[in-house]
Amino acid sequence: PYTDMDKKEYVVHREVLDDERLDEVAQKGTWSTQLTIAERVKESFRCSVSRLKLMVLSWVPVLSWLPHYPVKENIMGDLISGCSVAIMHLPQGLAYAPLAGLRPVFGLYTSFYPVLIYFIFGTSRHISIGTFAVVSMMVGSVVERLAPDANFIGNGTNGTNVNTDARDAYRVQIASSLAVLTGIFQILLGVVKFGFVVNYLSEPLVRAYTTGSAFLVCVSQLKYIFGITPSQFSGPLSVIYTLVDICQLLPKTKVPELLVSVVALTILIAIKGISAYYRQKLPLPIPIELFLIVAATLATHFGGLNSKYDIGVVGQIPSGLEAPSAPDATLFTQLIGDAFAVAVVSYTISISLAKTFALKHGYKVENNQELLALGLSNTVGGFFQCYSVTASLSRTLVQESTGGKTQVAGIFSSIILLIAILQIGSFFEDLPMAILAAIVVVNLKGMFMQFVDLPMLWRTNKVDLLVWLVTFISTILLNLDLGLAVSVGFAIITLILRIQRPHYSILGLLSGTDLYLDIETYKEAKEIPGIKIFRSSASINYTNAEMYVDALQEKVGVLSSGIFTLNEITEEKRGLTRQIRDIVSDFSLTERFPSGLGTGRVNWAFQHDPTISISDSDMGCHGDDGINQTLSDGDEEQGRVFRQGTHSIILDMSTTSFVDTVTVNTLKNIFSDLEQINLDIYLAGCQVCVVKQLETAGFFSEFIPKSKLFVTVHDAVLHVRKKHSRTDLLSVSYEHF
């Protein structure tokens, strides 16, 4: 429990500061050495040897760290890490390529070339670039939309069949062109310093999107697990049609293929569980995927499972590397939207992992350089028949946990993959597709575990929960491209609605402090008689300016014409009488005027003065007839009525970060309307940038001087109390905390 011994007090003695006096005391001016825009443009075109060197080192980070690479300290860790990651690259490359609608060998290419490019241009020391289920699925949806089987049906001996060679060749063109265009988008965004675009994808949105993608990936693997051939569907609700078709084809399930899938799933789940349980004792995770594909390939080859039981296998894997080829630029117009979506999603996944591990190991990654590195990895990879890449969580965890210190680990993994592509790629031609499907499904466990977000979001933030659910459902029902667009649109709408509907409050003073709190939230926060302090929880802008005025009228009790209603005046007087009775019992104001400027003042708040007697007659409450008479006596009498109630309004602007034209005009109208009925209005807590914007917009004038602007709400309150000290029922102290 909080005791008196725990209390800490502080006292600040200073004068009441408005904005003009603050400028004098704090010596406001331009003291920074920040260059002007013209100077910065001129500096950017200045060329020198040192500047050129810095530019090259920033654009090609490997030149800055590789010459200083500590061989003795890092080489063994990077070697072991690279070998471990290569062991994962091999099965994942083979398994994820079919997700992209390509033959497995292209997954090996995608695990090789981009890693080399990222080694040169990347700034993260730990992430593993290459194939990833979600991005593979996004590429696959584009490939199957533009090159469906129906476009390659020809006549054969058994009727119609699909010309798989022509289909696969065209799909490679589509995937590589998409990779190049994705990389171009990422490079352009990096060059113009647009790395912050990823901030528009909130964490709940990204996690829900990857979870929905994992569901689609899982559905796409069912045909290999059950050994069936469902029809291809594209567009919205395609996953529903696919599931219905799969259910109808279940009676035609190939039992041997299902048996292989079940055995593989069981082994993978069991061994991965054991590996996770003993991860602290094991030097590296058990490479069960590699063991499984080797064992399955040997069993299929020597057991003749393909010929005896018609189990689907990978098929021909050519040895060697393909010659580079230019992408088909005629496809770019059909791929623009998909390429941008893949660019944003792949960068989001990559930078999230990079920042996580950089924070853990105490180094920094550059957002824009990461965009460039990933863009170059995709662009260069596209010329070598790779598809779009990003960082993989599972491989990154292995690279970090097995002792990897730098991207040199990527070089070692690439060497091993190169050997596999050149020499042993054909060994995996008899690998059952059911084994690859089982590997894919089991590796989705981490994404499906993101469902635990739901109860947490239910407890903490229901708006984020709604974003999560809408993203997940739209991703599943509308597919990855439309689902992402709908999700981002919905997230932005929720943000706009939250900005447009901030919380408005009247503030009261907490006794014995200079703290002003929401009177509806804090019981001990009491309104100061005659003063209304109004605050919005959000910045005022053109989207919520009208609501700000409406809330001000409602909270303060002013109509749009700036006039109190009759009932409001009556209730204002009666309420003020009751309010002062309550306040006087808890507070007192002792008057102590300073002898000179800057001598310091302490606010002793309000304490009861037994010499003061308060009654309805003191407040001038004479019934409704008196009020009606007052209203008809003109502006001067009207002003006196308000001075018996509310005479001053303070707008707390501390939450406002910028002002636009609508905001400036709104504030001008508020000042004009309220001063017409003899209500004083003040601004408090404006940030320096806001004051500058107000000055630029011509807000301050003879009618709205800068003396109406105070540093804090407390400064404004002390100024108002001093101004009305002779007419207030209570006296005021100008000493404050």
Side-chain angles (χ1 to χ4, degrees):
Y2 194 83
T3 64
D4 291 338
M5 295 295 294
D6 298 321
K7 292 181 179 179
K8 297 178 181 179
E9 297 181 354
Y10 74 94
V11 177
V12 177
H13 297 272
R14 67 170 176 83
E15 62 182 287
V16 176
L17 295 174
D18 60 19
D19 194 70
E20 291 180 330
R21 180 57 182 156
L22 175 67
D23 292 349
E24 296 177 11
V25 172
Q27 299 184 26
K28 181 180 178 181
T30 304
W31 304 105
S32 67
T33 57
Q34 185 177 2
L35 299 176
T36 64
I37 295 177
E39 290 172 335
R40 278 182 286 179
V41 171
K42 182 179 179 180
E43 181 70 16
S44 65
F45 286 99
R46 187 176 64 84
C47 186
S48 65
V49 175
S50 59
R51 181 177 177 81
L52 179 62
K53 180 181 178 180
L54 289 174
M55 184 180 298
V56 171
L57 291 178
S58 64
W59 284 65
V60 190
V62 69
L63 298 179
S64 62
W65 64 265
L66 189 60
H68 308 288
Y69 178 76
V71 177
K72 292 183 179 180
E73 292 84 356
N74 292 351
I75 191 66
M76 285 306 299
D78 285 338
L79 176 60
I80 295 172
S81 175
C83 294
S84 303
V85 171
I87 290 172
M88 295 187 68
H89 262 305
L90 192 60
Q92 289 186 1
L94 294 171
Y96 290 156
L99 286 177
L102 307 174
R103 292 164 60 187
V105 68
F106 294 100
L108 297 181
Y109 298 157
T110 305
S111 301
F112 173 66
Y113 290 106
V115 175
L116 298 177
I117 304 301
Y118 186 83
F119 165 79
I120 299 172
F121 297 99
T123 60
S124 174
R125 303 174 191 172
H126 294 94
I127 63 172
S128 175
I129 293 294
T131 57
F132 186 61
V134 172
V135 174
S136 299
M137 188 68 187
M138 294 181 75
V139 174
S141 65
V142 178
V143 166
E144 292 181 0
R145 186 185 75 237
L146 297 181
D149 289 346
N151 291 0
F152 301 92
I153 294 178
N155 295 323
T157 56
N158 296 325
T160 59
N161 60 353
V162 177
N163 186 344
T164 55
D165 291 337
R167 181 201 64 186
D168 292 345
Y170 188 55
R171 287 184 173 183
V172 170
Q173 281 188 327
I174 296 171
S176 59
S177 299
L178 179 64
V180 171
L181 191 56
T182 297
I184 291 173
F185 275 127
Q186 291 172 331
I187 292 171
L188 291 176
L189 292 175
V191 168
V192 299
K193 310 297 183 183
F194 218 62
F196 67 87
V197 70
V198 71
N199 296 333
Y200 287 94
L201 300 182
S202 65
E203 184 179 359
L205 187 150
V206 172
R207 292 174 68 86
Y209 185 77
T210 53
T211 306
S213 302
F215 179 83
L216 295 178
V217 170
C218 190
V219 171
S220 71
Q221 298 304 295
L222 293 178
K223 61 183 179 181
Y224 300 117
I225 291 175
F226 291 101
I228 55 180
T229 308
S231 302
Q232 286 187 337
F233 301 95
S234 60
L237 302 180
S238 60
V239 67
I240 304 298
Y241 300 138
T242 301
L243 285 173
V244 171
D245 196 26
I246 289 174
C247 291
Q248 293 174 344
L249 292 173
L250 284 180
K252 299 180 181 179
T253 297
K254 294 180 181 178
V255 176
E257 203 145 359
L258 178 61
L259 184 61
V260 170
S261 302
V262 171
V263 171
L265 287 170
T266 304
I267 293 174
L268 286 169
I269 293 172
I271 301 301
K272 280 182 172 289
I274 294 172
S275 181
Y277 186 79
Y278 292 103
R279 64 181 178 275
Q280 301 295 338
K281 299 180 180 179
L282 294 173
L284 69 157
I286 301 173
I288 184 59
E289 290 100 337
L290 183 62
F291 293 157
L292 186 61
I293 64 172
V294 170
T297 302
L298 292 174
T300 305
H301 179 74
F302 292 105
L305 301 183
N306 183 23
S307 57
K308 291 181 181 179
Y309 303 105
D310 194 25
I311 291 179
V313 295
V314 168
Q316 183 181 6
I317 297 179
S319 297
L321 298 172
E322 296 288 337
S325 59
D328 187 354
T330 60
L331 293 170
F332 284 178
T333 55
Q334 304 177 64
L335 298 173
I336 289 178
D338 301 296
F340 187 78
V342 174
V344 172
V345 172
S346 61
Y347 173 65
T348 302
I349 296 170
S350 180
I351 195 65
S352 299
L353 287 175
K355 286 187 173 182
T356 299
F357 286 91
L359 182 64
K360 180 178 179 180
H361 292 275
Y363 64 91
K364 184 180 180 182
V365 294
E366 297 291 339
N367 288 3
N368 295 306
Q369 184 61 32
E370 284 296 297
L371 258 176
L372 286 171
L374 196 61
L376 288 168
S377 298
N378 280 315
T379 301
V380 175
F383 283 91
F384 290 90
Q385 300 182 348
C386 301
Y387 64 90
S388 302
V389 297
T390 188
S392 164
L393 174 59
S394 59
R395 293 195 306 271
T396 300
L397 286 171
V398 169
Q399 182 164 323
E400 186 259 353
S401 63
T402 53
K405 302 294 184 183
T406 67
Q407 282 299 330
V408 171
I411 295 298
F412 288 123
S413 70
S414 296
I415 292 173
I416 296 174
L417 280 171
L418 179 61
I419 295 172
I421 294 171
L422 294 177
Q423 300 296 329
I424 62 175
S426 58
F427 170 79
F428 296 106
E429 291 180 355
D430 289 327
L431 175 63
M433 292 298 297
I435 298 295
L436 295 180
I439 292 173
V440 170
V441 171
V442 172
N443 281 328
L444 296 175
K445 175 188 174 184
M447 295 185 200
F448 284 123
M449 289 298 293
Q450 293 176 147
F451 277 113
V452 300
D453 292 352
L454 296 179
M456 183 272 292
L457 292 175
W458 173 262
R459 294 190 303 268
T460 58
N461 194 316
K462 291 182 173 57
V463 175
D464 283 344
L465 173 64
L466 190 59
V467 170
W468 202 105
L469 292 173
V470 169
T471 301
F472 177 74
I473 294 172
S474 60
T475 301
I476 290 175
L477 297 182
L478 303 178
N479 277 351
L480 296 172
D481 46 2
L482 285 177
L484 179 62
V486 170
S487 303
V488 173
F490 182 78
I492 292 176
I493 289 173
T494 61
L495 178 62
I496 293 173
L497 289 177
R498 281 188 276 188
I499 293 174
Q500 282 190 312
R501 297 186 178 275
H503 176 69
Y504 300 104
S505 56
I506 294 293
L507 306 183
L509 177 65
L510 182 63
S511 174
T513 74
D514 61 351
L515 301 178
Y516 291 83
L517 309 174
D518 186 352
I519 61 174
E520 295 179 359
T521 303
Y522 296 92
K523 181 180 178 181
E524 293 302 318
K526 306 294 183 181
E527 286 190 69
I528 301 173
I531 303 176
K532 293 284 187 181
I533 306 169
F534 180 75
R535 180 172 67 190
S536 167
S537 64
S539 186
I540 313 169
N541 54 68
Y542 71 95
T543 65
N544 59 20
E546 185 176 349
M547 284 181 286
Y548 182 87
V549 174
D550 293 341
L552 176 63
Q553 294 167 358
E554 178 184 353
K555 293 285 186 180
V556 176
V558 181
L559 294 178
S560 58
S561 62
I563 306 296
F564 280 103
T565 63
L566 298 182
N567 291 335
E568 285 170 334
I569 295 176
T570 306
E571 290 302 318
E572 180 76 17
K573 289 184 175 182
R574 293 172 182 169
L576 185 59
T577 302
R578 292 191 298 269
Q579 185 183 59
I580 293 181
R581 285 200 185 104
D582 293 338
I583 292 176
V584 168
S585 65
D586 298 326
F587 305 89
S588 105
L589 291 171
T590 59
E591 184 164 359
R592 220 166 77 186
F593 294 92
S595 57
L597 192 63
T599 58
R601 297 154 184 172
V602 178
N603 174 24
W604 298 110
F606 308 104
Q607 295 185 11
H608 176 58
D609 187 345
T611 63
I612 295 178
S613 174
I614 301 176
S615 65
D616 285 350
S617 60
D618 292 327
M619 295 298 297
C621 293
H622 304 292
D624 291 345
D625 293 338
I627 297 169
N628 291 330
Q629 180 64 38
T630 302
L631 285 173
S632 63
D633 285 341
D635 291 343
E636 195 66 33
E637 288 299 316
Q638 187 184 68
R640 283 198 288 269
V641 171
F642 286 123
R643 293 190 187 281
Q644 292 170 347
T646 298
H647 52 68
S648 301
I649 296 174
I650 300 172
L651 303 181
D652 183 358
M653 304 287 288
S654 58
T655 59
T656 298
S657 57
F658 71 96
V659 291
D660 52 26
T661 304
V662 175
T663 304
V664 173
N665 291 333
T666 299
L667 291 175
K668 284 182 178 180
N669 291 336
I670 291 174
F671 270 81
S672 175
D673 289 348
L674 295 182
E675 288 187 350
Q676 284 181 9
I677 56 173
N678 295 324
L679 282 176
D680 295 330
I681 183 165
Y682 303 90
L683 302 181
C686 288
Q687 301 179 48
V688 175
C689 60
V690 174
V691 176
K692 186 175 181 180
Q693 291 167 3
L694 289 173
E695 291 173 338
T696 304
F699 175 76
F700 298 108
S701 64
E702 179 183 352
F703 302 102
I704 309 177
K706 287 192 73 175
S707 58
K708 293 280 190 178
L709 175 60
F710 286 87
V711 179
T712 68
V713 171
H714 198 56
D715 287 292
V717 169
L718 294 177
H719 170 80
V720 172
R721 297 306 304 228
K722 180 177 181 179
K723 179 178 179 180
H724 294 273
S725 60
R726 296 181 180 179
T727 57
D728 280 344
L729 295 174
L730 301 177
S731 57
V732 67
S733 166
Y734 293 97
E735 300 179 347
H736 79 295
F737 286 102

